[in-house]
Amino acid sequence: MKTRRRVFIEPSLRLADGSVRYPDLVICDTKSVVGIIELKYTPRGRPVPSGLLKDMETLTHAAADSESLQIVNERFLGKFVTQVAYP
């Protein structure tokens, strides 16, 4: 059986406590979240510490709520597409 993956750029990550986070990338298969990625890029410099803290908090909350978090593909522009939740 062929495995299909989808990559979402800055999707809504809804946590069990109702808060919403926006990780840089989320990779899903047809039924679940496979990975959450936070990227850092600062040409000729170092990442800003406050940005690292936000990213680590996002990853920590996602790992703690892994059974109840949802990634929702929301479209703001273009043709309307039915939203799909990836638990």
Side-chain angles (χ1 to χ4, degrees):
M1 184 169 85
K2 185 176 178 180
T3 301
R4 296 184 65 181
R5 303 265 192 238
R6 295 187 76 180
V7 177
F8 298 101
I9 300 169
E10 295 184 339
S12 300
L13 172 64
R14 295 185 184 148
L15 303 173
D17 65 1
S19 65
V20 178
R21 304 281 179 143
Y22 299 93
D24 294 329
L25 294 171
V26 176
I27 301 168
C28 298
D29 62 15
T30 56
K31 295 184 181 185
S32 63
V33 175
V34 175
I36 299 172
I37 301 167
E38 289 286 1
L39 301 171
K40 288 290 163 244
Y41 174 72
T42 54
R44 299 181 188 95
R46 295 178 183 235
V48 179
S50 61
L52 292 174
L53 180 60
K54 179 202 72 78
D55 290 349
M56 291 306 295
E57 286 176 354
T58 297
L59 295 173
T60 300
H61 288 295
D65 293 336
S66 63
E67 296 297 319
S68 59
L69 64 86
Q70 282 192 331
I71 303 298
V72 180
N73 179 23
E74 297 175 321
R75 295 184 58 109
F76 297 101
L77 300 173
K79 183 178 170 183
F80 177 77
V81 177
T82 304
Q83 293 180 1
V84 178
Y86 296 85

